[in-house]
């Protein structure tokens, strides 16, 4: 296994970020974050690729027994989001549920696994006990027809999947408004965003949820002014869209 560097941080009350920096990916390295919401019914958001599984279980195991995890959830079907699903299913509770948006469940999810799948419609509230998460469908944001996010309502933490993806080694959490520029610089390299008129609208909808923390999947999470940052990102992408028009 090539070198990697993993950090474990509680980014909001009961929400733990397992952040693995992979220096060998691309020119500057790349981070994959998992989020564990510890509650009566513990939920893991982003299951990671298979090759990180052993490392992930070591760090998740510092927060909770793996055999206590009740929900395995992810934003959209892609290797970093759900590649290790079959491996997790061997270790978590027998009555664990695989949780995803209804588009993923309908078109892909039930083919990924024979395990029961819980399909979330937009706005669905999943009670975890002293925590609760609400599904926000975000088709094609940043990419993937099936994409969606979770808002943990008691801490007002938006698990925003690939939005604000950054390259290079970053701190686990930042309050720097530079996160907008970091995300746009990453997009210049990766071109992973579906830049459509819907992108602007969806980012503004996320801004109006007024999260206190953005749990970012790739790079630093953000605990600055989330509404402002989402507005700035929305405007920057609108500008890019307009520049692409003939
Ligand atoms: Fe993705
Ligand atoms: Fe991702």
């Amino acid at each position: 296994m090539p070198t990697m560097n993993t950090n474990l941080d509680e980014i909001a009350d009961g929400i733990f970020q397992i952040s693995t920096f992979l220096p060998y990916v691309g020119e500057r390295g790349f981070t994959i974050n998992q989020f564990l919401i510890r509650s009566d019914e513990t939920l893991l958001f982003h299951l990671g690729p298979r090759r990180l599984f052993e490392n992930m279980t070591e760090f998740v195991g510092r927060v909770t027994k793996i055999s206590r995890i009740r929900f395995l959830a992810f934003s959209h079907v892609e290797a970093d989001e759900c590649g290790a699903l079959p491996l997790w299913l061997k270790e978590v509770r027998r009555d664990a549920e695989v949780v995803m948006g209804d588009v993923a469940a309908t078109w892909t999810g039930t083919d990924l696994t024979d395990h029961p799948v819980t399909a979330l419609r937009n706005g669905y509230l999943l009670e975890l006990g002293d925590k609760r998460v609400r599904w926000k469908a975000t088709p094609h944001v940043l990419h993937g027809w099936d994409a969606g996010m979770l808002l943990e309502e008691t801490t007002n933490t938006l698990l925003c999947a690939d939005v604000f993806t950054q390259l290079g080694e970053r701190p686990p959490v930042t309050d720097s408004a530079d996160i907008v520029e970091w995300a746009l610089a990453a997009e210049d390299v990766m071109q992973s965003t579906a830049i459509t008129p819907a992108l602007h609208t969806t980012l503004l909808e996320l801004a109006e949820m007024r999260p206190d923390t953005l749990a970012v999947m790739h790079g630093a999470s953000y605990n600055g002014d989330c509404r402002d940052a989402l507005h700035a990102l929305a405007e920057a992408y609108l500008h890019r869209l307009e520049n692409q028009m003939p």
Side-chain angles (χ1 to χ4, degrees):
M1 177 76 67
T3 21
M4 60 177 83
N5 181 14
T6 301
N7 288 301
L8 173 64
D9 294 273
E10 188 171 5
I11 62 166
D13 179 37
I15 301 188
F16 296 86
Q17 173 178 279
I18 296 103
S19 179
T20 302
F21 180 63
L22 306 170
Y24 54 87
V25 174
E27 288 188 7
R28 300 178 52 201
F30 192 63
T31 303
I32 295 180
N33 295 334
Q34 271 86 46
F35 297 95
L36 189 85
I37 302 178
R38 189 168 64 188
S39 189
D40 306 280
E41 308 282 8
T42 292
L43 180 147
L44 182 66
F45 191 62
H46 309 313
L47 311 180
R50 287 172 193 249
R51 67 195 151 86
L52 294 189
F53 181 70
E54 209 176 304
N55 186 65
M56 286 186 295
T57 52
E58 184 193 325
F59 282 85
V60 170
R62 295 182 189 183
V63 182
T64 186
K65 280 190 173 173
I66 309 287
S67 58
R68 285 197 65 239
I69 294 176
R70 173 71 195 284
F71 296 108
L72 295 172
F74 54 89
S75 162
H76 52 283
V77 178
E78 207 172 18
D80 58 332
E81 319 272 348
C82 64
L85 172 62
L87 304 177
W88 284 109
L89 283 171
K90 289 181 187 162
E91 306 292 335
V92 294
R93 274 167 61 166
R94 264 210 198 152
D95 63 346
E97 293 176 46
V98 181
V99 174
M100 64 189 80
D102 53 357
V103 173
T106 302
W107 295 99
T108 321
T110 50
D111 200 62
L112 283 178
T113 178
D114 293 325
H115 200 84
V117 165
T118 301
L120 306 182
R121 275 191 298 194
N122 188 37
Y124 186 91
L125 184 66
L126 186 64
E127 297 280 0
L128 308 179
D130 66 346
K131 296 273 187 294
R132 58 179 190 271
V133 290
R134 194 178 292 279
W135 178 255
K136 165 73 175 157
T138 60
H140 303 291
V141 177
L142 280 186
H143 48 240
W145 173 32
D146 52 338
M149 301 171 189
L150 289 175
L151 178 69
E152 200 293 302
E153 292 190 337
T154 70
T155 58
N156 211 19
T157 300
L158 181 63
L159 294 94
C160 62
D162 293 334
V163 173
F164 288 108
T165 288
Q166 307 139 46
L167 300 178
E169 195 158 20
R170 302 286 178 191
V173 184
T174 184
D175 62 1
S176 169
D178 290 346
I179 193 170
V180 178
E181 290 309 314
W182 300 343
L184 293 169
E187 172 62 12
D188 287 339
V189 175
M190 296 184 73
Q191 307 274 295
S192 67
T193 302
I195 302 181
T196 71
L199 174 59
H200 182 254
T201 310
T202 302
L203 290 173
L204 292 184
E205 286 172 5
L206 298 178
E208 289 319 304
M209 292 162 81
R210 296 170 186 254
D212 291 320
T213 304
L214 296 171
V216 173
M217 185 177 188
H218 306 290
S221 285
Y222 185 61
N223 58 9
D225 188 327
C226 299
R227 185 166 177 260
D228 265 14
L230 284 159
H231 267 277
L233 193 67
E235 291 313 309
Y237 274 125
L238 184 60
H239 189 63
R240 288 184 177 207
L241 177 70
E242 287 167 350
N243 284 345
Q244 285 177 8
M245 297 288 199

